Amino acid sequence: MAAAAAVSRLLRRSLWLSNVPSCRLYTAAAVAAADIPSSDETWIIPSGRPLCLDMRSPYNVIRRSLDEFSLYSDRFHRAREPSISSKGTERSHQQNAKIPRKISVGLGQLETSDLKVLLHTKCGASVRMSVHRNVLAEHSRFFADKLSEQPPVPQIEILDCDDVEIYVETVGLMYAKDVKRRLIKQSVSRVLRILKIAETLGFHACIKSCLDYLEAVPWEGEEEEKVVSSIRHLQDDGYGINPILDRVASGFCHPPNDTLSKILEMVLESGEGRGRREMKSLVLKLLKENLLMANGSADISVESLYASCRRCLESLLDLFRHASESAFTDLSQESRGPVERRISLAAGNLLWLVEILVDQHAADEFATLWASQNELAELHSRVPITSRHLVSYITSRLFVGIGKGELLPSKETRKQLLHVWLQPLIDDYIWLRHHYSWLQHGCRGFDGMVVDEGIGRTILTLPLEEQQSILLSWLGTFSKSGDSCPNLQRAFEVWWRRTFTRPPVICR
């Protein structure tokens, strides 16, 4: 009973209970322990003024009381089920007698209340509210219709009430002078529950206050979808929900292409290393999500991506020309550093764009573009490997994509790609394996086994004669260098069987 006494003292301070000297509050624990007489009305929570929502308010007490009641309602339901033994039956009847059946709540001045609203829950319990006809009729279209019936009804019953706690709170808000203020510090999910009951009751002031709250408060996680789905049907009811919907949708049906171009430009031109890497990873992830949500047909401007690719290629080629000059190698490291960093930046940007194109299933044209970069490939060996290695990573990414069927360039493009870029990749292979095994530049790390598989599969898509030419050349390098070049043994085995084991398909 100590807990009940403490709560009663709290109510006396916050609710002016001196006007109701006979009121008493019993806790669920006291009821279950049979420390009080059994009664139809077990909990009594009257109020001497309009309910409010601060932590010392009756709402908090009602909330706790109803939460406790919900715990006991399950016991009440189980107690009503037939028991197997006679002892079990007797125990069930004892539990049935101890579990509270009804909560009584008084709103406003109890002595002037002239209407009872009885809420029946599905578990068999009920909440009785002592309220005022004029307040409910003024604020609720539902109650106004009920109270206009003749003869006057002594009480109103609500059957199968799904959310008793929020129903009581929403009716209590009819007594508040400023409903929106009472919603402050409430959770989004709770306000959505209040909004639902307010709609049922036709409580327009509460609906408007809930919408104002939802428009102003931040949403988190899954709340966004819940808010949108909960208010969408109000669009034609004159409540003005567009300010809320504007948060998640603009006036355009699809994001304009120039917006994506602007984002790409800002990321590519970023001069801060960490910010650039993190934004590359973020944009790449978001574009993948868009592709999944659009079932593989995301509305992204490929032209914008290729325009950026061409700018990066032009910049990269100019930097390679400069870095390959004999006078450049004679410069001090301090003088060469800015150019080498710009090469790394341009190649990293191009690699990021390739990742996007591959994810968007639009990299075939880039494979053709990359295979035509003969001058860039010729200059490759003259540029320090610490700067040029990302160029070889671009090549390896294309081979992996072809090997996995992520892009489908023509036979001539595949042949030219191997002819132009396989040797530069072999030159950088050992450096890539030892220095580029971590995630950076907003892309995945270098995986030698995956790259080997991609190169081999790309070779095996060519005519048998082309396979032989490339694999025999590789064999000469591999027999001398070993781990310093890609391991194409699987591709070599397939070529061998095609050549020496498989019978001729067509006689020529």
Side-chain angles (χ1 to χ4, degrees):
M1 296 300 292
V7 177
S8 296
R9 286 196 298 271
L10 175 63
L11 286 172
R12 288 190 183 97
R13 287 196 301 269
S14 61
L15 302 182
W16 300 343
L17 292 182
S18 57
N19 294 330
V20 194
S22 62
C23 79
R24 301 184 67 184
L25 172 68
Y26 298 101
T27 65
V31 174
D35 291 336
I36 61 171
S38 176
S39 172
D40 185 47
E41 296 182 13
T42 304
W43 296 343
I44 306 175
I45 309 177
S47 172
R49 63 176 176 176
L51 297 177
C52 53
L53 294 177
D54 63 327
M55 291 306 294
R56 297 176 298 171
S57 73
Y59 274 151
N60 194 43
V61 179
I62 293 171
R63 189 177 305 126
R64 292 199 305 268
S65 301
L66 289 169
D67 287 342
E68 291 184 34
F69 180 80
S70 65
L71 296 176
Y72 281 88
S73 64
D74 185 54
R75 285 177 50 193
F76 171 73
H77 180 72
R78 291 197 302 269
R80 297 179 63 185
E81 295 178 353
S83 300
I84 298 176
S85 65
S86 58
K87 289 184 178 180
T89 304
E90 182 180 356
R91 185 166 55 253
S92 297
H93 287 309
Q94 291 174 355
Q95 290 178 340
N96 187 17
K98 294 177 182 179
I99 297 172
R101 291 292 193 87
K102 185 180 293 184
I103 303 174
S104 290
V105 180
L107 302 177
Q109 297 293 336
L110 274 180
E111 60 272 16
T112 60
S113 65
D114 54 2
L115 180 66
K116 305 295 182 185
V117 176
L118 195 59
L119 308 176
H120 296 281
T121 66
K122 293 182 178 180
C123 66
S126 62
V127 174
R128 186 175 68 178
M129 295 188 292
S130 299
V131 292
H132 301 77
R133 292 172 178 269
N134 61 325
V135 175
L136 270 61
E138 178 184 353
H139 293 89
S140 167
R141 184 178 65 248
F142 170 80
F143 285 120
D145 293 341
K146 288 287 185 181
L147 295 173
S148 64
E149 297 176 359
Q150 295 297 330
V153 293
Q155 70 176 19
I156 298 175
E157 294 192 44
I158 309 297
L159 303 177
D160 294 332
C161 186
D162 293 327
D163 201 344
V164 173
E165 174 193 351
I166 298 301
Y167 204 105
V168 173
E169 186 166 346
T170 305
V171 174
L173 288 173
M174 297 180 187
Y175 289 79
K177 294 181 180 179
D178 188 346
V179 176
K180 183 180 177 181
R181 181 182 176 187
R182 305 305 184 193
L183 298 177
I184 293 176
K185 292 189 177 181
Q186 295 298 300
S187 66
V188 171
S189 60
R190 190 173 187 85
V191 171
L192 289 175
R193 290 163 64 191
I194 293 174
L195 175 62
K196 181 179 179 181
I197 299 298
E199 290 181 58
T200 302
L201 297 179
F203 186 3
H204 299 296
C206 185
I207 295 173
K208 182 64 169 61
S209 296
C210 288
L211 294 176
D212 290 343
Y213 166 94
L214 295 171
E215 191 280 328
V217 75
W219 307 332
E220 297 180 1
E222 298 178 354
E223 291 177 347
E224 180 172 311
E225 290 301 322
K226 292 180 180 179
V227 170
V228 174
S229 61
S230 297
I231 69 171
R232 193 187 301 274
H233 63 280
L234 296 173
Q235 195 160 13
D236 299 328
D237 293 345
Y239 286 109
I241 66 170
N242 286 337
I244 303 176
L245 297 179
D246 286 345
R247 187 185 298 190
V248 298
S250 66
F252 299 98
C253 295
H254 301 283
N257 289 331
D258 57 353
T259 302
L260 177 60
S261 301
K262 182 65 175 178
I263 294 173
L264 294 177
E265 180 182 350
M266 293 174 66
V267 174
L268 294 173
E269 295 181 357
S270 172
E272 201 280 321
R274 177 185 174 187
R276 182 177 63 253
R277 288 194 300 272
E278 292 187 358
M279 285 308 302
K280 282 182 177 180
S281 297
L282 177 61
V283 172
L284 191 63
K285 182 188 76 170
L286 294 175
L287 287 174
K288 288 181 179 179
E289 289 180 2
N290 287 357
L291 192 67
L292 291 174
M293 294 178 66
N295 295 322
S297 59
D299 185 17
I300 294 176
S301 173
V302 175
E303 290 77 11
S304 297
L305 294 172
Y306 274 105
S308 298
C309 285
R310 291 186 178 90
R311 287 194 296 269
C312 288
L313 266 175
E314 292 173 2
S315 174
L316 189 61
L317 183 57
D318 289 341
L319 290 167
F320 263 48
R321 288 167 179 163
H322 180 49
S324 62
E325 295 174 355
S326 57
F328 182 79
T329 57
D330 297 333
L331 298 175
S332 64
Q333 179 60 41
E334 184 178 356
S335 300
R336 296 198 308 267
V339 176
E340 292 177 351
R341 285 192 292 272
R342 288 174 60 193
I343 291 175
S344 180
L345 176 61
N349 286 341
L350 193 58
L351 173 60
W352 178 63
L353 292 169
V354 171
E355 288 283 359
I356 295 176
L357 287 170
V358 171
D359 288 338
Q360 301 299 319
H361 305 160
D364 293 3
E365 183 181 340
F366 183 84
T368 303
L369 184 63
W370 191 247
S372 66
Q373 300 301 310
N374 292 282
E375 183 181 1
L376 191 66
E378 291 174 1
L379 296 173
H380 184 270
S381 61
R382 305 179 197 174
V383 178
I385 193 171
T386 54
S387 301
R388 77 190 190 206
H389 67 277
L390 284 176
V391 172
S392 293
Y393 194 105
I394 294 171
T395 301
S396 68
R397 184 65 186 92
L398 292 175
F399 285 143
V400 170
I402 294 172
K404 291 183 175 181
E406 295 173 329
L407 58 154
L408 304 172
S410 66
K411 179 178 68 176
E412 290 303 319
T413 295
R414 300 193 303 273
K415 178 181 176 180
Q416 185 70 6
L417 194 63
L418 287 161
H419 175 72
V420 173
W421 285 110
L422 181 57
Q423 188 57 50
L425 174 58
I426 292 175
D427 295 341
D428 295 349
Y429 186 82
I430 188 64
W431 196 96
L432 287 170
R433 289 196 64 176
H434 286 88
H435 296 86
Y436 202 73
S437 58
W438 58 88
L439 188 69
Q440 57 180 337
H441 298 283
C443 306
R444 65 197 72 177
F446 186 89
D447 188 327
M449 294 182 64
V450 173
V451 173
D452 296 349
E453 186 74 12
I455 296 172
R457 286 175 174 270
T458 302
I459 293 171
L460 294 174
T461 64
L462 299 179
L464 195 61
E465 294 81 359
E466 298 292 341
Q467 297 175 35
Q468 176 176 319
S469 174
I470 296 172
L471 287 171
L472 290 182
S473 176
W474 162 82
L475 181 60
T477 304
F478 185 71
S479 60
K480 297 176 182 178
S481 304
D483 290 341
S484 297
C485 74
N487 189 339
L488 306 181
Q489 293 185 56
R490 290 187 180 180
F492 188 84
E493 289 179 15
V494 174
W495 165 80
W496 178 282
R497 295 189 183 98
R498 288 175 177 176
T499 302
F500 298 107
T501 305
R502 183 183 181 89
V505 178
I506 299 177
C507 296
R508 298 183 181 180

